[in-house]
Amino acid sequence: MKRVVFDVAALIARVVTGVIFVAHGLQKWQGGLGATTQMFGGMGIPLPGAAAGFATVVETVGGVFLILGLLVRPVALLLLIDMIGAIVFVHGNRGVLVGEGGWELAGALGALCLLFLALGGGRIGLDGLFGAIFRRRARQRVAEDELIEHRRGPAMGPGPSNVNVRPGGAEGAYQPGAGGPMTPAEPGMPAERPEAPRQPAAPRTHAGGLDDADMRDIDALVSEDQPEHRKPPNR
C-alpha cells in the first residue's frame, strides 16, 4: 500500500515539475537563443552562450522526460545543476520571494529534482514499465536455467559404484557385494545368479620348487626304505 501511494505521489510531482520546466524552456526557445544569451550575459552568468543553450535544452527536453517518467534520475541531475546555477548566479542575492527575483521557485524546483535523483520517479512511468519488463525476463531466464539443471541432474544418473538393485531388478543390473551381475528373472520371481564352472585349483608349490605330487612320491619312498624295528629278544 505504501509503495502504491509513493508511486501516485511521484507521478503527480513529476508531471507538475515537468510542466513547469517545459514552460520555462519553451519561453527561452520562443525568445531565441541569441536573446537568451544576451539576457544571461546581462545577468552576469559566465559563458552565457553555453549556459543559455544548456538551460534551454535541459529544461525543455528534461521536462518532457519527467512527465513521461523516462530516465528520471539522469534528467533530475541535469535539472538540479540548472537550478543550482540559477540560484548561485541570478537569484541567490535577491532574497527568497520570487516576486522580488528571489530563489523561491528555483529552490523548490531544485529540491524536487534532488528528491527524484534520490528516490526515482516511481513505477508509473516508462522507467517503471521497462524495469518491470527487464525483471520479468531476468526471472524467466533464472527459471529456465533452474529447469535445465533439474532435468540434467536425473538424466546423468548415479555412477556404477552407487547402483543398488534389489533382487528381481533390471536386466544385467549390478548389486554391490553380490559377487556379480544378476540374471534376468520373470516378473514376481527372484533373480538368480548364474553358476560359473569351477576352475581346477593350481597345485601348491613347496620349498625347493616341489609340488604336491613330488611330496607324495617322497613320502612313499621314505616309508618303504624305513627299517623295521625288531623287538629285542626276551631274556
Side-chain angles (χ1 to χ4, degrees), residues 201-206 209-222:
R204 294 178 298 176
T205 303
H206 299 274
L210 303 177
D211 55 11
D212 291 341
D214 295 336
M215 294 301 296
R216 285 196 297 269
D217 294 341
I218 293 175
D219 291 340
L221 181 62
V222 171

Side-chain angles (χ1 to χ4, degrees), residues 44-165:
I45 298 176
L47 301 174
F54 176 80
T56 303
V57 173
V58 167
E59 289 175 5
T60 305
V61 179
V64 174
F65 276 28
L66 282 183
I67 296 172
L68 298 177
L70 179 62
L71 301 175
V72 173
R73 281 190 167 93
V75 168
L77 177 60
L78 295 177
L79 291 172
L80 177 61
I81 295 173
D82 183 34
M83 292 298 99
I84 291 175
I87 294 172
V88 171
F89 295 108
V90 179
H91 306 285
N93 56 354
R94 297 182 181 182
V96 177
L97 298 179
V98 67
E100 300 175 357
W103 53 267
E104 179 181 3
L105 180 59
L109 294 176
L112 287 171
C113 292
L114 181 62
L115 188 64
F116 294 145
L117 179 62
L119 301 179
R123 294 177 296 179
I124 306 176
L126 294 182
D127 285 347
L129 178 61
F130 293 151
I133 293 175
F134 292 152
R135 287 190 298 269
R136 182 177 180 181
R137 290 181 178 178
R139 289 194 296 266
Q140 185 177 1
R141 287 194 296 267
V142 172
E144 290 176 355
D145 295 339
E146 291 179 354
L147 181 61
I148 292 174
E149 292 295 332
H150 178 72
R151 291 178 177 177
R152 184 183 300 173
M156 297 296 292
S161 60
N162 297 327
V163 177
N164 188 5
V165 180

Side-chain angles (χ1 to χ4, degrees), residues 182-204:
M182 305 292 292
T183 58
E186 297 180 357
M189 299 295 293
E192 297 181 358
R193 185 180 299 105
E195 295 183 359
R198 295 184 179 181
Q199 300 293 334
R204 294 178 298 176

